[in-house]
Amino acid sequence: MSRYTPEEKVKLARHPERPGTADFIEALFTDFFEQRGDRLCREDGSILGGIARFHGRPVTVIGHRKGKNLEENLTCNFGMPGPEGYRKAQRLMKQAEKFGRPVITFVDTPGAYPGKEAEERGQGEAIAQCLALMSALEVPVISIVTGEGGSGGALALAVANRVLMLEHAVYSVLSPEGFASILWKDAARSGEACAVMKLTAQDLRRGSIVQGVLREPEEGAQTDWQATFRTIDAALGKELAALDKLKGPALARQRYEMFRAMGQGLPPAGKEDV
Amino acid sequence: MNRLFSKRRDRLLTYQAMREGRIASSKRTACPACGAESANRDWERNVQVCPQCGYHSPVGAYYRLAALLDPGSFQELEEKLEPADPLEFPGYPEKLEDLEEETGLRDAAVAALGSVGMHKAVFVVLDSRFLMGSMGTAVGEKVTRAAEYATKRKLPLIIFSASGGARMQEGIFSLMQMAKTAAAIQRFQSRGGLYISCLTHPTTGGVTASFASLGDIMLAEPGALIGFAGPRVIEQTIGETLPEGFQRSEYLLEHGFLDRIVSRDQWRPVLIQLLGLHEGGKRS
């Protein structure tokens, strides 16, 4: 059994000192060139993306960005993208496919932003298009849920050939607060929600929602960034090498079939995978 | 099991009979929108649209199919698909059983092969009486199988959405249905398939953010609430009251997300026109 309860894991996943997408890009990639804007309306800082090299090889890297201080939090809208962010992500992924670059995404968001302008500009449509586009990309796609995988806003960047999760990251249909308020009309019962939602990396591995769990330092990723970077670096290298064996159409097929099979439920509780 | 199927068939036949005016009801029902009372017979004749103000009252999946399809063309698909309880969520199986008893539905979606104006197509209709039409694994699987069936048979796909979004009781497995259905639609469309998405009240959350927004043609019934986040959540987030008509069909049309608003009595002629315009499929 894991030493943390699901509720404690939610706290760890949201820890403000946990490394974020900008940190992963800086540590794991070289030659990063940031690409901004959706070419339709505006730049959305809550999604960071561009071209970079992973061990010398050009890749497209995209992730949610929350920001590290109040000023950054505000420009990044606390990691809650609007449709512009998802349309920027689509633009970057289409280019990745055009130039034959693998796509690597880092997932860490409370969810897509529930705002007036976001609705006006088609938040639902932007997420739907991301899902459809990613599902058919003919390049390798690897996603790592590094913190909070909140709802459709997280999934929009996680339709990958391999979805990996850091040990204490969480991934769920809605935030535990939102879940409790929908089902029990009481957001304060979020602790209870954590217990029934099966949102931990271990539960999701068991349910075949994610394909791998990446070990974190004892007290969580925030206590030892370098160790976390080494783990992710090794996992990315290994997964990329495996996916390189598949040609474009086979990559799209593998991804389709993997998500196609989801919905059969969790097998009975067994040994931990981590 | 057989008893349930025949119960559903009876219901369908009753609707058809009502539609053809063979059953007369003397009762009257008040419109929840304008308050005016109309004879049930007139509500029926008007396919559950208020004869006074045009309010589109929600209708069930079988009812909608009966009103839409050519008589005798209805052939249910994937009728045996059952809901699952992947999280072993407390009280959920009992809830599903109660709803099945109450509505005659196994879950919130019905898929069918049928025709409108002799044009054959695959239909999926969501039913908001079943846990707000929310998408769990059964709804996701049914939409996906319908899209795959339409791909294989080279038939157009027409989906009527009515959904509160992802089904909370099935947690992450519900979320994954968004990816699964969007992928199936993408695959269908990339092989030249025509997908007409018809949005009805309400279409929100994970359904809006997946298959419902991906139509080659996007249509909606008048006054339907359509959006990603619910109005209450948005008001709490931004701390202001939303303007009248926000996230309604008319508002979406104005903002460029719909091709057309279709009142309930116009679905048949509009779909017949569209299916006719796409007949013969892609020129290679």
Side-chain angles (χ1 to χ4, degrees):
Chain A
M1 282 301 291
S2 175
R3 47 201 294 265
Y4 295 107
T5 65
E7 194 177 1
E8 286 165 341
K9 278 180 183 276
V10 169
K11 287 203 184 99
L12 276 173
R14 291 174 178 172
H15 199 289
E17 277 145 42
R18 222 175 146 80
T21 296
D23 308 310
F24 293 123
I25 291 179
E26 197 184 306
L28 303 171
F29 302 85
T30 55
D31 220 5
F32 178 58
F33 178 83
E34 184 178 356
Q35 292 178 282
R36 293 190 176 92
D38 65 353
R39 301 295 184 270
L40 295 164
C41 173
R42 60 184 277 263
E43 155 66 2
D44 184 343
S46 61
I47 287 184
L48 170 64
I51 315 164
R53 287 180 193 275
F54 180 73
H55 293 278
R57 172 187 190 176
V59 297
T60 286
V61 54
I62 304 170
H64 299 95
R65 173 168 54 184
K66 289 178 168 173
K68 285 276 182 273
N69 50 51
L70 188 61
E71 197 187 334
E72 276 180 30
N73 290 158
L74 290 171
T75 31
C76 301
N77 199 25
F78 298 86
M80 294 182 284
E84 301 78 25
Y86 294 111
R87 294 193 178 115
K88 172 169 73 176
Q90 288 167 40
R91 187 170 75 78
L92 269 52
M93 290 191 256
K94 280 183 198 157
Q95 273 186 26
E97 187 175 47
K98 176 183 171 186
F99 295 106
R101 291 190 290 262
V103 175
I104 294 164
T105 70
F106 295 101
V107 175
D108 184 18
T109 177
Y113 186 61
K116 185 165 169 281
E117 285 75 24
E119 291 291 319
E120 251 162 33
R121 299 192 195 119
Q123 184 74 285
E125 195 266 354
I127 293 172
Q129 294 291 353
C130 255
L131 301 175
L133 173 74
M134 278 191 101
S135 75
L137 286 175
E138 296 199 346
V139 289
V141 184
I142 301 171
S143 296
I144 305 181
V145 183
T146 62
E148 270 183 290
S151 189
L155 178 65
L157 295 188
V159 186
N161 296 94
R162 298 279 192 278
V163 183
L164 310 176
M165 264 178 98
L166 284 182
E167 187 182 351
H168 303 313
V170 294
Y171 191 8
S172 57
V173 66
L174 196 58
S175 68
E177 293 80 1
F179 186 92
S181 87
I182 285 190
L183 276 182
W184 306 312
K185 312 270 173 259
D186 185 2
R189 287 170 70 182
S190 64
E192 232 172 295
C194 293
V196 295
M197 286 176 82
K198 309 260 164 71
L199 43 61
T200 69
Q202 295 70 26
D203 279 331
L204 298 175
R205 176 72 196 91
R206 208 148 50 74
S208 300
I209 298 294
V210 303
Q211 287 68 52
V213 179
L214 308 179
R215 199 181 271 287
E216 289 188 32
E218 281 289 293
E219 310 290 323
Q222 76 283 355
T223 59
D224 188 349
W225 284 23
Q226 294 309 320
T228 309
F229 295 151
R230 281 194 298 276
T231 306
I232 294 183
D233 183 67
L236 280 177
K238 182 173 148 246
E239 298 296 356
L240 259 183
L243 293 174
D244 277 338
K245 298 199 178 89
L246 300 178
K247 291 210 164 64
L251 287 164
R253 204 176 316 122
Q254 184 270 335
R255 204 178 305 121
Y256 184 88
E257 277 157 17
M258 194 174 90
F259 281 89
R260 179 71 188 80
M262 287 183 191
Q264 308 308 317
L266 295 168
K271 280 197 306 209
E272 288 292 317
D273 296 287
V274 178
Chain B
M1 196 84 299
N2 274 328
R3 189 184 51 82
L4 248 175
F5 287 156
S6 65
K7 199 166 120 192
R8 277 201 278 177
R9 202 167 33 240
D10 289 350
R11 202 174 297 225
L12 192 65
L13 291 173
T14 312
Y15 287 145
Q16 262 163 356
M18 276 183 158
R19 199 170 144 61
E20 290 157 16
R22 284 187 274 122
I23 296 177
S25 166
S26 57
K27 292 203 179 111
R28 298 174 74 78
T29 303
C31 170
C34 72
E37 275 196 5
S38 302
N40 283 4
R41 194 184 48 234
D42 293 333
W43 277 100
E44 282 299 335
R45 236 182 240 141
N46 233 8
V47 236
Q48 300 302 328
V49 174
C50 173
Q52 314 288 330
C53 73
Y55 164 75
H56 281 55
S57 170
V59 294
Y62 288 107
Y63 185 93
R64 186 177 289 280
L65 284 163
L68 192 67
L69 300 182
D70 296 341
S73 73
F74 171 84
Q75 196 186 317
E76 186 158 1
L77 300 174
E78 301 294 348
E79 173 166 35
K80 291 188 179 139
L81 191 67
E82 301 205 16
D85 178 20
L87 296 188
E88 294 169 2
F89 196 86
Y92 183 49
E94 294 76 19
K95 181 97 195 161
L96 291 172
E97 264 172 44
D98 290 351
L99 280 163
E100 182 175 349
E101 189 58 35
E102 202 180 304
T103 62
L105 298 158
R106 300 308 310 281
D107 206 301
V110 175
L113 181 65
S115 64
V116 269
M118 309 291 279
H119 299 282
K120 239 178 154 182
V122 175
F123 295 81
V124 182
V125 182
L126 271 59
D127 195 315
S128 63
R129 293 171 305 165
F130 201 102
L131 282 171
M132 271 316 291
S134 56
M135 175 160 65
T137 53
V139 171
E141 184 68 22
K142 196 167 271 191
V143 168
T144 304
R145 287 191 195 175
E148 288 175 345
Y149 182 89
T151 308
K152 209 174 290 169
R153 304 285 180 102
K154 298 196 185 310
L155 289 170
L157 176 65
I158 299 172
I159 303 183
F160 280 81
S161 295
S163 176
R167 184 168 300 169
M168 293 302 129
Q169 292 88 342
E170 295 184 33
I172 193 83
F173 295 95
S174 295
L175 187 72
M176 293 303 139
Q177 304 311 306
M178 293 171 61
K180 183 164 117 183
T181 56
I185 296 286
Q186 160 75 30
R187 192 175 252 211
F188 168 72
Q189 289 175 321
S190 71
R191 284 159 173 68
L194 165 69
Y195 167 34
I196 304 175
S197 177
C198 310
L199 311 178
T200 70
H201 181 73
T203 300
T204 58
V207 167
T208 299
S210 63
F211 65 87
S213 289
L214 295 170
D216 296 294
I217 307 282
M218 296 290 304
L219 306 171
E221 278 193 350
L225 178 78
I226 302 161
F228 176 64
R232 210 163 36 96
V233 176
I234 301 171
E235 288 186 337
Q236 279 167 6
T237 308
I238 63 174
E240 52 182 283
T241 316
L242 293 165
E244 178 81 21
F246 184 74
Q247 293 181 310
R248 297 289 165 173
S249 307
E250 296 71 17
Y251 172 95
L252 264 88
L253 182 74
E254 199 180 304
H255 284 84
F257 291 97
L258 295 175
D259 290 296
R260 183 161 169 182
I261 294 174
V262 180
S263 60
R264 198 167 287 157
D265 62 340
Q266 290 302 303
W267 280 118
R268 270 183 64 88
V270 169
L271 291 176
I272 289 169
Q273 182 194 3
L274 286 167
L275 292 171
L277 285 168
H278 289 84
E279 213 151 54
K282 195 166 78 173
R283 304 248 172 235
S284 50

